[in-house]
């Protein structure tokens, strides 16, 4: 039994988590709760200070559990990468965004591979958790790590284990969501499996890093393509005078072979709108065009424009122009009950509506302010006055906090892009 294997079994291993964001912070707390000592790394000084003060900034991590882990000495955060030498296993949870032209932006993974390589110690296990295209661990990380002079499978171990966290989801968490692990060699797979078995009920080992990488991207492409399908259906249903929401709910009564997806004002978040491009881009190296991904992107990216045209038509039929109209947007987070505005379709909607001369304000109980191009908008209070003075209230995010019946009662016109008002009726109510 190797030293690392023994330490993982005895829970005496020190785990380093690089990138204390939506993925890294919950992971660090989960390891701490399981009895490991955790060293968290981030480049943002204020995040490191918040962690060390036991103050959470991530929706799925309670300040109490964070503070408890810090107080009992099991969790510490730092900006000092030289302390990577102190850890036995390293989980890398850095961002994998896109460039402006929607190409993979792997600089975070590249920089981190170089940093880790600088401090790599014999016996360490390195695991990439960030979502990326198949081949990243082997082609991008491995050569950089081996510049240390150490050899994979012999001196150190390298694996890929995608994060499946769904922020705000109360049912599925790190513990009860099976975790896939793929390694460069059998020992890397075995060690990564042992590591995650301490915090996850079911670990799913796969033959190599590429299978694990492709699995994660396939899961996100699956959602992306199905959302596009239902977004297209919503547009047809509107033309045919059929409620797409009723169709979806009815189809969902089928107990097999169907899974509901819902239309909306466009895709949001750090994963579903971005990750498919990682695969589409990599596929081109093989003279292969991922047509479903391109088609889904086309449909999904048009949704904010479609919503604007529907709002414009709705105002028009009430003798109002969009230009000069007061629009109140409900929700700027990309999905319900979270504070994350990354890639939020609401932000795009606000930009498009303002571009057409509308006077747009917003309310979001989770988001105090939001940046729209050069301007910072602040959430307005949701009062009878703000509701009744709007020409149109747009439900852009279906937060559970909202009393939709009340909103409908107090408003001239409601445009619901999320099906939040299902079951309610009103001459002033329009849905996607
Ligand atoms: N957010 C999700 O729901 C989710 C779900 C599954 C997978 N993922 C994937 O996980 C990865 C991380 O996503 P996230 O949502 O946690 O991002 P995030 O932006 O919330 O967190 C990333 C953190 O990494 C830090 N960071 C950046 N560069 C660093 C460096 N060189 N060293 C140390 N820290 C650094 C940032 O300061 C930030 O705190 C991405 O690849 C994403 O696609 C995200």
């Amino acid at each position: 039994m190797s030293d690392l294997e023994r330490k993982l079994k005895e829970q005496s291993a020190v785990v380093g988590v690089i990138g204390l964001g939506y993925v890294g912070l919950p992971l660090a707390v989960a390891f701490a709760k399981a009895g490991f000592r955790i060293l968290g790394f981030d480049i943002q000084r204020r995040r490191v200070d918040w962690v060390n003060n036991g103050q959470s900034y991530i929706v799925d991590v309670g300040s109490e559990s964070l503070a408890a882990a810090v107080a009992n000495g099991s969790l510490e955060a730092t900006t000092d990468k030289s302390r990577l030498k102190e850890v036995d296993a390293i989980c890398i949870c850095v961002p994998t965004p896109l460039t402006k032209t929607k190409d993979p932006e792997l600089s975070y993974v590249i920089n981190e591979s170089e940093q880790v390589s600088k401090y790599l110690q014999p016996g360490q296990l390195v695991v990439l958790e960030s979502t990326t295209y198949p081949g990243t661990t082997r082609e991008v990380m491995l050569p950089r790590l081996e510049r240390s002079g150490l050899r994979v499978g012999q001196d150190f171990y390298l694996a890929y284990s995608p994060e499946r966290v769904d922020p705000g989801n109360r049912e599925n968490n790190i513990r009860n969501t099976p975790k896939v692990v793929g390694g460069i060699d059998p020992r890397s797979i075995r060690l990564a499996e042992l590591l995650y078995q301490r915090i996850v009920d079911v670990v799913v080992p796969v033959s190599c890093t590429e299978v694990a990488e492709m699995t994660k991207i396939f899961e996100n492409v699956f959602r992306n393509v199905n959302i596009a399908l239902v977004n297209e259906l919503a547009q047809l249903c509107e033309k045919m005078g059929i409620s797409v929401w009723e169709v979806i709910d009815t189809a969902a009564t089928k107990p097999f072979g169907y899974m509901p997806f819902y239309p909306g004002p466009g895709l949001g978040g750090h994963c579903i709108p971005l990750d498919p491009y990682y695969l589409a881009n990599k596929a081109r190296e093989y003279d292969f065009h991922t047509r479903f991904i391109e088609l889904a992107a086309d449909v999904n990216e048009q949704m904010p424009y479609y919503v604007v045209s529907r709002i414009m038509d709705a105002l028009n039929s009430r003798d109002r122009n969009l230009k000069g109209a007061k629009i109140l947007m409900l929700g700027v987070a990309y999905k319900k009950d979270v504070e994350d505005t990354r890639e939020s379709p609401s932000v795009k909607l606000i930009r498009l509506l303002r571009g057409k001369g509308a006077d747009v304000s917003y309310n979001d109980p989770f988001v105090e302010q939001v940046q729209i191009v050069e301007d910072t908008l602040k959430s307005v209070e949701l009062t009878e006055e703000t509701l009744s003075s709007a020409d149109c209230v747009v439900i852009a995010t279906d937060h559970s906090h909202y009393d939709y019946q009340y909103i409908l009662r107090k408003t001239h016109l409601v445009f619901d892009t999320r099906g939040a008002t299902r079951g309610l009726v009103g001459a002033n109510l329009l849905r996607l």
Side-chain angles (χ1 to χ4, degrees):
M1 192 190 299
S2 73
D3 197 31
L4 179 56
E5 209 169 331
R6 181 185 51 74
K7 283 181 173 174
L8 288 172
K9 284 187 173 152
E10 290 170 357
Q11 250 132 282
S12 61
V14 180
V15 181
V17 175
I18 302 181
L20 298 171
Y22 285 92
V23 168
L25 191 63
L27 186 72
V29 171
F31 276 124
K33 273 188 187 160
F36 287 96
R37 198 163 77 72
I38 308 301
L39 206 45
F41 297 86
D42 207 288
I43 44 171
Q44 294 186 50
R45 181 80 246 170
R46 63 192 181 132
R47 287 201 159 181
V48 164
D49 292 341
W50 279 331
V51 170
N52 289 335
N53 290 329
Q55 221 181 317
S56 177
Y57 45 86
I58 296 289
V59 67
D60 290 335
V61 176
S63 288
E64 281 156 37
S65 50
L66 184 64
V70 173
N72 70 23
S74 51
L75 174 60
E76 184 193 346
T78 178
T79 55
D80 178 5
K81 292 280 169 58
S82 71
R83 295 193 63 192
L84 281 167
K85 288 191 214 149
E86 296 173 29
V87 308
D88 299 294
I90 302 168
C91 302
I92 302 179
C93 313
V94 292
T96 43
L98 293 174
T99 62
K100 265 195 173 157
T101 50
K102 308 213 177 213
D103 293 317
E105 220 286 59
L106 272 185
S107 62
Y108 295 93
V109 173
I110 292 172
N111 289 344
E112 253 355 83
S113 305
E114 286 166 1
Q115 287 283 310
V116 171
S117 176
K118 210 160 131 192
Y119 301 111
L120 197 63
Q121 300 297 307
Q124 277 182 333
L125 165 69
V126 181
V127 188
L128 178 65
E129 291 231 2
S130 306
T131 308
T132 182
Y133 59 73
T136 307
T137 313
R138 194 182 303 272
E139 295 162 15
V140 177
M141 291 189 69
L142 180 56
R144 288 177 171 83
L145 293 175
E146 288 198 330
R147 275 186 214 153
S148 62
L150 301 177
R151 290 287 152 260
V152 73
Q154 181 184 313
D155 306 317
F156 76 98
Y157 306 97
L158 179 59
Y160 179 79
S161 180
E163 184 48 68
R164 284 170 158 170
V165 71
D166 179 18
N169 185 331
R170 304 251 169 271
E171 267 167 49
N172 300 103
N173 48 44
I174 290 185
R175 165 72 54 198
N176 67 12
T177 304
K179 193 138 175 47
V180 172
V181 297
I184 293 288
D185 65 291
R187 278 196 67 71
S188 296
I189 301 175
R190 178 68 196 131
L191 288 168
E193 194 182 357
L194 268 179
L195 171 69
Y196 289 109
Q197 271 169 352
R198 307 293 133 183
I199 57 164
V200 177
D201 291 339
V202 178
V203 176
V204 185
V206 295
S207 57
C208 57
T209 49
E210 287 78 2
V211 168
E213 290 162 330
M214 185 66 106
T215 301
K216 170 68 188 177
I217 288 236
F218 175 58
E219 289 166 10
N220 287 356
V221 168
F222 175 80
R223 278 190 67 72
N224 184 303
V225 168
N226 279 287
I227 292 169
L229 180 65
V230 81
N231 275 335
E232 187 180 70
L233 187 77
Q235 294 176 52
L236 175 63
C237 280
E238 197 270 322
K239 284 192 185 300
M240 297 178 74
I242 297 169
S243 163
V244 71
W245 305 100
E246 194 177 350
V247 172
I248 295 166
D249 289 345
T250 311
T253 60
K254 186 179 175 189
F256 52 89
Y258 177 80
M259 180 188 285
F261 287 88
Y262 299 96
L267 296 177
H270 186 38
C271 299
I272 310 296
L274 311 189
D275 302 342
Y277 286 105
Y278 269 73
L279 187 58
N281 191 284
K282 183 70 179 173
R284 285 189 217 127
E285 247 180 71
Y286 297 83
D287 294 335
F288 192 94
H289 287 265
T290 49
R291 284 167 290 169
F292 276 98
I293 293 177
E294 302 292 345
L295 184 59
D298 186 23
V299 174
N300 289 330
E301 283 172 15
Q302 285 309 310
M303 285 313 285
Y305 298 91
Y306 173 71
V307 168
V308 168
S309 74
R310 291 280 308 277
I311 295 169
M312 206 146 52
D313 290 348
L315 288 168
N316 212 21
S317 66
R318 284 158 178 80
D319 299 323
R320 291 285 298 150
N321 284 332
L322 181 54
K323 186 168 182 178
K326 286 182 89 171
I327 309 280
L328 174 64
M329 188 82 53
L330 297 188
V332 290
Y334 82 88
K335 69 170 186 174
K336 74 193 254 182
D337 303 341
V338 301
E339 81 297 4
D340 192 353
T341 58
R342 287 179 298 177
E343 309 293 325
S344 172
S346 310
V347 172
K348 182 134 195 193
L349 278 179
I350 295 176
R351 197 164 53 72
L352 294 176
L353 289 165
R354 291 177 97 200
K356 293 201 177 293
D359 171 9
V360 189
S361 56
Y362 87 91
N363 169 272
D364 193 312
F366 295 90
V367 186
E368 264 175 46
Q369 58 180 51
V370 73
Q371 194 68 28
I372 309 288
V373 198
E374 310 266 276
D375 296 341
T376 305
L377 297 193
K378 283 194 174 1
S379 176
V380 298
E381 225 184 303
L382 197 61
T383 62
E384 199 171 332
E385 162 61 19
T386 48
L387 286 170
S388 63
S389 63
D391 294 300
C392 181
V393 170
V394 180
I395 301 171
T397 313
D398 49 342
H399 287 312
S400 318
H401 285 60
Y402 290 134
D403 179 347
Y404 293 104
Q405 195 144 27
Y406 174 79
I407 290 165
L408 191 58
R409 240 187 4 253
K410 300 293 173 196
T411 310
H412 298 297
L413 174 65
V414 174
F415 189 83
D416 175 8
T417 69
R418 297 285 191 174
T421 58
R422 269 178 279 183
L424 301 181
V425 281
N428 59 340
L429 174 60
L430 287 172
R431 288 190 200 101
L432 196 64

